[in-house]
């Protein structure tokens, strides 16, 4: 009995540290965020409670317009990353051979570069007097910089590692004999890709959506440096509402609305990945 009691206390002591960290870094800030979103005049806790901030956020036409812009840019960036990540992961798993670990290491090393430095590098490359315009004859291509195109490029290069590695891990579990059997049965490369690789890689794409698609909605660094009026994103809107307008209630409500929508999206992505797995 005494030995089991000591083991139980030891297990509790080991678990105490991560629980305290979780409380301090997540639960308490989240509770403060919820409180700020329902106070009439935050951060005054005696100002009474109201849902006015949520009504303001959900009925403001400007927020709706910014949300549509963000959805378009983020979805396009995610689609481009999937178009890159799926064939890249396939090549790494089935074709790279001894170069597989080198490519995987290269992906990780590229991601080690500071995000702000990476975005500023694209400013040098895409700028009106940048590398691309210097190499091309004729007038400068002004749409390369301070545009949705530049923001998409920056987002793709910032998150491509987190898109590729989960898909790579999912494809790593696919036995090569599966594709060989499909070839023997007369399946072409497109049928193999669409009917075998994509469904079996669906769990990896689900993880990529959680790691990449959802966080991109709150990203504002790329849009701040490379974007313009036509690429003003929700992350910038929330920052400006809180820091420039000082409206902590509306900013907190916007954060929680985005969190709720992210949860719905994650659930839908999970259900779709399960359906794809069941169909295979």
């Amino acid at each position: 009995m005494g030995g089991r009691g000591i083991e139980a206390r030891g297990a509790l002591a080991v678990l105490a540290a991560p629980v305290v960290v979780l409380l301090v870094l997540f639960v308490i800030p989240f509770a403060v965020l919820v409180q700020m979103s329902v106070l009439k005049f935050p951060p005054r806790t005696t100002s009474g409670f109201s849902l006015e901030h949520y009504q303001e956020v959900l009925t403001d036409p400007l927020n709706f317009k910014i949300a549509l812009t963000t959805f378009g840019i983020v979805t396009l960036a995610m689609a481009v990353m999937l178009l890159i990540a799926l064939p890249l992961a396939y090549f790494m798993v089935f074709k790279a051979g001894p170069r597989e670990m080198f490519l995987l290491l290269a992906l990780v090393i590229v991601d080690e570069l500071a995000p702000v430095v990476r975005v500023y590098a694209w400013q040098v490359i895409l700028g009106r007097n940048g590398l691309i315009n210097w190499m091309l004859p004729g007038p400068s291509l002004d749409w390369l910089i301070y545009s949705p195109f530049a923001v998409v490029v920056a987002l793709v290069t910032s998150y491509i590692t987190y898109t590729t590695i989960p898909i790579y891990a999912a494809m790593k579990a696919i036995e090569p004999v599966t594709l060989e059997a499909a070839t023997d049965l007369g399946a072409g490369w497109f049928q193999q890709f669409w009917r075998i690789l994509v469904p079996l890689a669906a769990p990896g794409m689900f993880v990529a959506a959680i790691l990449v698609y959802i966080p991109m909605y709150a990203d504002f660094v790329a849009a701040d440096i490379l974007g313009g009026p036509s690429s003003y994103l929700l992350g910038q809107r929330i920052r400006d509402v809180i820091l420039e307008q000082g409206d902590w209630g509306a900013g907190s409500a916007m954060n929680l609305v985005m969190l709720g929508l992210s949860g719905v999206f994650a659930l839908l992505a999970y259900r779709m990945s399960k359906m794809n797995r069941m169909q295979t």
Side-chain angles (χ1 to χ4, degrees), residues 115-202:
V116 176
V117 174
R118 189 186 299 118
V119 174
Y120 271 114
W122 279 111
Q123 189 181 49
V124 174
I125 295 171
L126 300 174
R128 293 186 178 92
N129 298 313
L131 181 62
I132 292 180
N133 278 314
W134 176 74
M135 294 174 62
L136 294 176
S140 298
L141 301 177
D142 292 339
W143 55 267
L144 288 178
I145 193 72
Y146 308 129
S147 64
F149 171 81
V151 176
V152 169
V153 169
L155 290 174
V156 168
T157 53
S158 296
Y159 291 95
I160 187 64
T161 297
Y162 300 102
T163 306
T164 304
I165 289 180
I167 297 174
Y168 163 82
M171 286 191 180
K172 195 71 176 173
I174 302 174
E175 294 291 339
V177 69
T178 305
L179 300 181
E180 294 172 5
T183 302
D184 292 340
L185 292 172
W189 69 268
F190 182 78
Q191 287 179 305
Q192 293 182 34
F193 175 80
W194 188 249
R195 301 293 298 274
I196 298 175
L197 286 176
V198 170
L200 293 179

Side-chain angles (χ1 to χ4, degrees), residues 61-84:
L62 179 60
N63 290 336
F64 183 71
K65 180 181 178 181
I66 295 171
L68 285 179
T69 300
T70 305
F71 173 78
I73 290 176
V74 168
T75 302
L76 178 59
M78 190 72 214
V80 172
M81 281 187 282
L82 287 176
L83 288 174
I84 296 172

